Amino acid sequence: MALVNENYLKLPGSYLFSEIARRINQFKATNPEADIIRLGIGDVTRPLPPAVIEAMHKGVEEMGKAETFRGYGPEQGYEFLIEKIIEHDFTPRGVELSVDEVFISDGAKSDTANFQELFGVNNIMAVTDPVYPVYVDSNVMAGRTGMYDSDKGQYGKIVYLPCTEANGMKPSLPKTRVDMIYLCFPNNPTGMTLSKDELKQWVNYARENRSILLFDAAYEGYIREEGVPHSIFEIEGAREVAVEFRSFSKTAGFTGTRCAYTIVPKDVKVYDSKGEAYSLNQLWLRRQTTKFNGVSYPVQVAAAAVFSEEGQRQIKETINYYMENARIIREGLQAAGYTVFGGINAPYIWMKTPNTMGSWEFFDKLMTNAHVIGTPGAGFGANGEGYFRLTAFGTRENTLQAIERIKTRM
Ligand code: MLT
């Protein structure tokens, strides 16, 4: 008899975005004529930049000729891409990295989900609340979180760091010792950022407690304001305690193409029960070489083209397009009397539901009355209840239309 991994049974319901898709399909079955606007899952709508497409074509052509064909690539990614990442994303910010500290992968979602495998099951983990659900669900699957308390909407062994209106959506340091800390800035879902001084407190905490910061920077390309750190490694000492996840998905339209990268400095250490230190970089390399065979060659060639002069110009245009959507949503909602956060350095707008309405109730009302889809804040954690997330990744036309409908039909 095959026994189930009982940790999976601790997960309530389905994955957040699958549940939303289910509700939309149900609604469409009974309302086939409804013209639905999707501002729920953060999926991009602009096509891949021309420079990326051109490079991808070249990569595909190379695969079709015996002289240039490539089979298995290096599991951690081709150096031509890694070198460009270091040169463009890190060196200009004063961050020195070596080639073997950057790991190319098929997505920040899979990397943030998989990375926890390197840690003992008894580590105490901390997450912000609200939080991107992948960090929590992947740790549940691993058996690190205890049981789900459906009254609280929280797991018994996770330390939750509330991000509320009272603290400006910025997490405070944990009151009890934690070992693994997930941080995402610019934040999904609230769209808020941390300053260098604020991030420094987390680095200091991690150094004092020998904890690890798992820093998700998937939205760094959306930072507009000066002085907001783009990488945790801009903070002194972070090389000893942090891992950073980055992605081409939101910055260059790769959600359907799949390419991301994770930075694991060689200075980061984890310990065994006797206190002996191990290199996290070596462990991640061991994990990736065993379980992953790399991102396809044409996709890595395409990703490298993001860093060409035209590639950079083209992705900036796209990011500006989405950030104009963010402004339209933010200012439109404010004008309609809603309280909103984010949307300045991030493609997400976090709004308070009217009259303390539950977030799933607001989801249903918005879908039924306005045919607009967003993401219920409660899906991101207990402190997301009473909030709602809209993404700026829609088309301009749909974004304008959605705000108009919210103003007139809600
Ligand atoms: C989101 O909507 O939060 C993101 O699109 C999910 C993801 O990137 O996996």
Side-chain angles (χ1 to χ4, degrees):
M1 180 173 64
L3 298 178
V4 65
N5 173 354
E6 291 192 19
N7 295 318
Y8 274 66
L9 310 181
K10 297 174 190 160
L11 292 164
S14 38
Y15 179 59
L16 173 61
F17 294 105
S18 314
E19 172 59 19
I20 291 173
R22 191 190 64 77
R23 290 191 186 213
I24 301 172
N25 288 339
Q26 206 171 41
F27 180 75
K28 273 174 66 180
T30 43
N31 302 272
E33 76 300 337
D35 171 19
I36 291 178
I37 297 178
R38 293 165 194 258
L39 302 181
I41 191 164
D43 194 5
V44 295
T45 51
R46 304 294 296 160
L48 288 168
V52 166
I53 291 294
E54 196 185 314
M56 197 185 296
H57 277 294
K58 281 197 190 127
V60 171
E61 287 301 319
E62 285 180 48
M63 295 298 272
K65 294 193 194 95
E67 315 80 69
T68 46
F69 169 77
R70 297 179 189 232
Y72 292 129
E75 291 91 344
Q76 60 272 48
Y78 285 104
E79 279 198 20
F80 66 77
L81 176 56
I82 294 177
E83 278 163 3
K84 288 214 157 31
I85 289 170
I86 295 174
E87 183 190 323
H88 283 85
D89 283 3
F90 295 98
T91 311
R93 299 195 175 278
V95 177
E96 278 178 38
L97 291 176
S98 60
V99 184
D100 51 1
E101 294 179 312
V102 181
F103 297 77
I104 308 296
S105 76
D106 65 344
K109 178 182 182 177
S110 24
D111 278 3
T112 53
N114 291 330
F115 210 87
Q116 51 75 28
E117 280 182 37
L118 306 187
F119 300 96
V121 79
N122 292 324
N123 278 300
I124 304 292
M125 59 171 285
V127 291
T128 59
D129 179 6
V131 68
Y132 178 45
V134 169
Y135 317 148
V136 171
D137 289 5
S138 56
N139 277 280
V140 174
M141 293 168 179
R144 201 172 284 114
T145 60
M147 296 305 285
Y148 186 66
D149 178 336
S150 53
D151 292 333
K152 285 192 186 158
Q154 297 188 331
Y155 288 90
K157 286 194 192 162
I158 296 183
V159 172
Y160 290 91
L161 310 167
C163 293
T164 60
E165 240 180 303
N167 63 16
M169 307 283 165
K170 295 180 181 205
S172 305
L173 293 175
K175 295 196 176 60
T176 51
R177 208 183 63 81
V178 300
D179 309 301
M180 302 155 60
I181 304 162
Y182 288 87
L183 293 176
C184 171
F185 289 99
N187 187 257
N188 177 12
T190 66
M192 304 300 274
T193 52
L194 291 189
S195 68
K196 276 197 177 154
D197 286 346
E198 286 160 343
L199 261 188
K200 176 83 182 129
Q201 291 178 21
W202 288 96
V203 171
N204 290 347
Y205 175 93
R207 289 173 86 185
E208 280 155 25
N209 292 281
R210 293 191 184 182
S211 326
I212 303 287
L213 301 175
L214 298 157
F215 190 77
D216 186 347
Y219 300 95
E220 70 76 34
Y222 288 83
I223 294 172
R224 282 283 174 282
E225 292 178 320
E226 290 294 317
V228 177
H230 286 240
S231 166
I232 185 100
F233 301 117
E234 289 176 53
I235 312 300
E236 196 201 325
R239 268 190 66 86
E240 293 163 30
V241 289
V243 171
E244 181 165 303
F245 304 94
R246 294 245 184 152
S247 172
F248 291 100
S249 283
K250 316 295 162 106
T251 41
F254 274 59
T255 52
T257 308
R258 314 305 306 149
C259 197
Y261 43 111
T262 291
I263 314 301
V264 192
K266 284 188 265 186
D267 304 1
V268 189
K269 298 281 186 284
V270 274
Y271 302 87
D272 70 10
S273 51
K274 297 186 202 86
E276 197 170 323
Y278 294 86
S279 155
L280 205 56
N281 176 289
Q282 280 306 301
L283 293 168
W284 185 240
L285 178 67
R286 184 70 175 85
R287 192 263 175 213
Q288 290 300 79
T289 46
T290 305
K291 294 196 177 182
F292 184 59
N293 254 340
V295 173
S296 79
Y297 175 71
V299 169
Q300 291 194 59
V301 173
V306 166
F307 299 107
S308 66
E309 219 176 294
E310 319 86 82
Q312 285 293 295
R313 191 177 41 73
Q314 291 162 1
I315 66 160
K316 282 193 181 112
E317 263 171 37
T318 305
I319 290 174
N320 287 342
Y321 175 96
Y322 292 136
M323 287 312 282
E324 175 59 10
N325 286 350
R327 187 195 65 74
I328 291 166
I329 299 173
R330 195 166 39 83
E331 292 181 4
L333 291 175
Q334 276 167 342
Y338 292 96
T339 304
V340 297
F341 301 88
I344 292 174
N345 293 306
Y348 293 123
I349 291 87
W350 186 241
M351 62 183 280
K352 229 172 144 167
T353 59
N355 311 316
T356 63
M357 190 186 291
S359 10
W360 281 105
E361 193 188 337
F362 187 75
F363 172 90
D364 287 332
K365 191 168 174 202
L366 192 64
M367 180 165 67
T368 311
N369 293 0
H371 300 168
V372 172
I373 306 298
T375 309
F380 296 103
N383 279 294
E385 182 55 285
Y387 289 87
F388 199 76
R389 193 195 77 176
L390 291 172
T391 101
F393 289 124
T395 63
R396 178 64 41 75
E397 195 190 350
N398 278 348
T399 303
L400 288 164
Q401 180 66 240
I403 294 304
E404 189 53 32
R405 289 190 199 169
I406 292 173
K407 282 182 177 164
T408 54
R409 300 193 202 169
M410 293 297 287

